[in-house]
Amino acid sequence: MSFPTHRPRRLRRTETHRRMVRETRLSVDDLILPLFVRPGEGVEEPIEAMPGVFRRSIDRTVAECRRAADLGIPGVILFGVPDRKDPTGSEAYAADGIVPRAIRAIREEVGGLSIWADVCLCEYTDHGHCGVLSGGAVDNDATLPLLARAAVAYAEAGADVVAPSDMMDGRVAAIRRALETADRADTILCSYAAKYASAYYGPFREAAGSTPREGDRRGYQMDPANAREALREVALDLEEGADLVMVKPALAYLDVLARVRDRFDVPVAAYNVSGEYAMLCAAAERGWVERRAAVLETLTSIRRAGADLILTYFAKEVAEWL
Ligand code: PBG
Ligand code: ZN
C-alpha cells in the first residue's frame, strides 16, 4: 500500500512546490530586537561576546530604532545599563531613569514602533540579583512593589509593553494592579513566564553588568529539568493578567515552547538569548556553519515549535534577508 504509491519526495522536487507546502513561515512581523541603553551621548560600545550588538546612548538608540522600523521590524525591547547601581535598584523605577528617557525619545521620533521595556532589578542592583535582598536571600514580596513601580514608570513614559523577567511570584498581579491604578489599563503585559536558570545568559550579563556578585539565580529562575512546572507558571501568569507569555531561552526549550503553544490560546513569545546568538556567531566566524542558513533554520525551528514572536539579536539581518 505504501511504496511506490506514496513518494513524499514528489512534493520536494522543486522550490515552487516546496514553497507551496511549507508549514512554517518566518516573517519580519515575528521579530523583536533587543537593545541595551546606557547614559551619555554619541556612545556605541561593542559587546565582546555579542558581535554586532552594542550598548548605545539614547541618541544612538533612537537611530537604531529608526533603522529597525525602516526594515519593517515591529518592535524593540529595551534593557537599561545605568551608571549608578544600589541595593534596591532605584534607577530601575526612577521616572527620569535611563529606560523612561529612552522610551520618550523613541516614542517621539519613531512612530508606530512597539516599544517593550524589560522589567527587572538585576541591571540596577549593586549585588546583581533580580530582587532586593534580606538576610542574604532575594525577598520576593518586598520586590513586588519595586517591580510595579518600574512597570508604571515605563508605561507612563510611553512603553507599549512591559515585560517582567525577574521570576518573582505574584509579580504579574502586582504590575497589572499598579497599571490599573495608574490609569494605564491599555499597557500590554508580556510575562517571561517560563524563564530558566540558564548558562546561555552569559553574554547578556557581560552586556548589562548584571552577574550576581554572590550566588546564582536558581532560587527564583526555573530548573532546566522541568517542563510541567512551566505550564503551571504560564497558567498562573495568565490568571494574574498577562496578555502574552514568553519561554526563555528558546533552543534548549523548544519542547517547553511546543507544550505551552498546545495548552494555551494566547500569543507566545520565545527569547533567542545572548548565548544562543554568541554560539552561532562564533561557529559562523570560524566558517564551521554557514551563518545565513543556520540563522534562518534556527529561527524557523523556534516558529515551528510554536512561537508567534521571537526576540532575537539577529532581527535586523534577518529582516534584510526576508
Ligand atoms: C534580566 C534578564 C536577563 C535576560 C533578559 N532579562 C538576564 C538574566 O536573567 O540573567 C537574558 C537575555 C539574554 O541572555 O539575551 N532578568
Ligand atoms: Zn533580572
Side-chain angles (χ1 to χ4, degrees), residues 91-175:
E91 271 287 298
Y93 40 87
D96 63 346
I98 183 71
V99 166
R101 282 188 287 126
I103 293 168
R104 284 190 204 96
I106 300 165
R107 175 63 58 243
E108 198 162 303
E109 303 279 333
V110 194
L113 187 68
S114 177
I115 305 174
W116 296 36
D118 182 87
V119 177
C120 200
L121 300 188
C122 58
E123 298 114 270
Y124 306 93
T125 52
D126 51 11
H127 47 74
H129 278 288
C130 300
V132 292
L133 301 181
S134 56
V138 174
D139 186 335
N140 189 90
D141 297 12
T143 302
L144 298 183
L146 305 183
L147 296 168
R149 273 176 71 183
V152 167
Y154 306 156
E156 287 183 336
D160 297 284
V161 182
V162 290
S165 66
D166 51 282
M167 289 302 278
M168 297 302 123
D169 293 330
R171 91 269 211 210
V172 172
I175 290 172

Side-chain angles (χ1 to χ4, degrees), residues 19-278:
R19 183 154 65 90
M20 290 169 82
V21 300
R22 191 157 289 145
E23 298 174 31
T24 308
R25 284 174 213 281
L26 190 61
S27 150
V28 67
D29 296 337
D30 314 325
L31 306 175
I32 312 275
L33 175 68
L35 296 172
F36 298 97
V37 196
R38 50 147 296 160
E41 241 197 89
V43 183
E44 209 159 64
E45 277 170 9
I47 297 155
E48 196 179 304
M50 300 172 78
V53 181
F54 299 85
R55 277 182 294 255
R56 296 186 176 86
S57 51
I58 292 175
D59 55 325
R60 295 297 183 97
T61 301
V62 170
E64 181 70 355
C65 288
R66 161 65 48 219
R67 288 189 287 272
D70 288 346
L71 286 167
I73 294 169
V76 296
I77 181 163
L78 304 179
F79 297 93
V81 187
D83 273 343
R84 209 172 45 82
K85 304 192 186 220
D86 63 25
T88 59
S90 48
E91 271 287 298
Y93 40 87
D96 63 346
I98 183 71
V99 166
R101 282 188 287 126
I103 293 168
R104 284 190 204 96
I106 300 165
R107 175 63 58 243
E108 198 162 303
E109 303 279 333
V110 194
L113 187 68
S114 177
I115 305 174
W116 296 36
D118 182 87
V119 177
C120 200
L121 300 188
C122 58
E123 298 114 270
Y124 306 93
T125 52
D126 51 11
H127 47 74
H129 278 288
C130 300
V132 292
L133 301 181
S134 56
V138 174
D139 186 335
N140 189 90
D141 297 12
T143 302
L144 298 183
L146 305 183
L147 296 168
R149 273 176 71 183
V152 167
Y154 306 156
E156 287 183 336
D160 297 284
V161 182
V162 290
S165 66
D166 51 282
M167 289 302 278
M168 297 302 123
D169 293 330
R171 91 269 211 210
V172 172
I175 290 172
R176 184 42 84 202
R177 208 175 308 121
L179 289 170
E180 288 287 334
T181 307
D183 212 13
R184 290 282 160 182
D186 287 340
T187 303
I188 297 164
L189 201 161
C190 173
S191 94
Y192 288 69
K195 176 173 178 177
Y196 287 87
S198 171
Y200 289 102
Y201 305 148
F204 175 97
R205 291 183 189 167
E206 177 214 321
S210 62
T211 307
R213 210 157 53 190
E214 266 171 72
D216 54 47
R217 303 207 204 291
R218 285 182 292 183
Y220 40 105
Q221 297 180 346
M222 284 180 54
D223 185 332
N226 294 355
R228 288 190 300 265
E229 187 186 345
L231 302 177
R232 178 166 153 76
E233 282 285 4
V234 169
L236 289 171
D237 284 1
L238 290 174
E239 269 172 37
E240 291 179 29
D243 302 291
L244 303 148
V245 292
M246 197 194 298
V247 173
K248 175 189 173 186
L251 296 180
Y253 301 89
L254 292 181
D255 59 321
V256 175
L257 189 54
R259 287 170 73 169
V260 169
R261 167 72 301 149
D262 225 45
R263 174 86 61 98
F264 301 96
D265 292 322
V266 295
V268 178
Y271 201 137
N272 176 220
V273 300
S274 58
E276 299 173 336
Y277 176 82

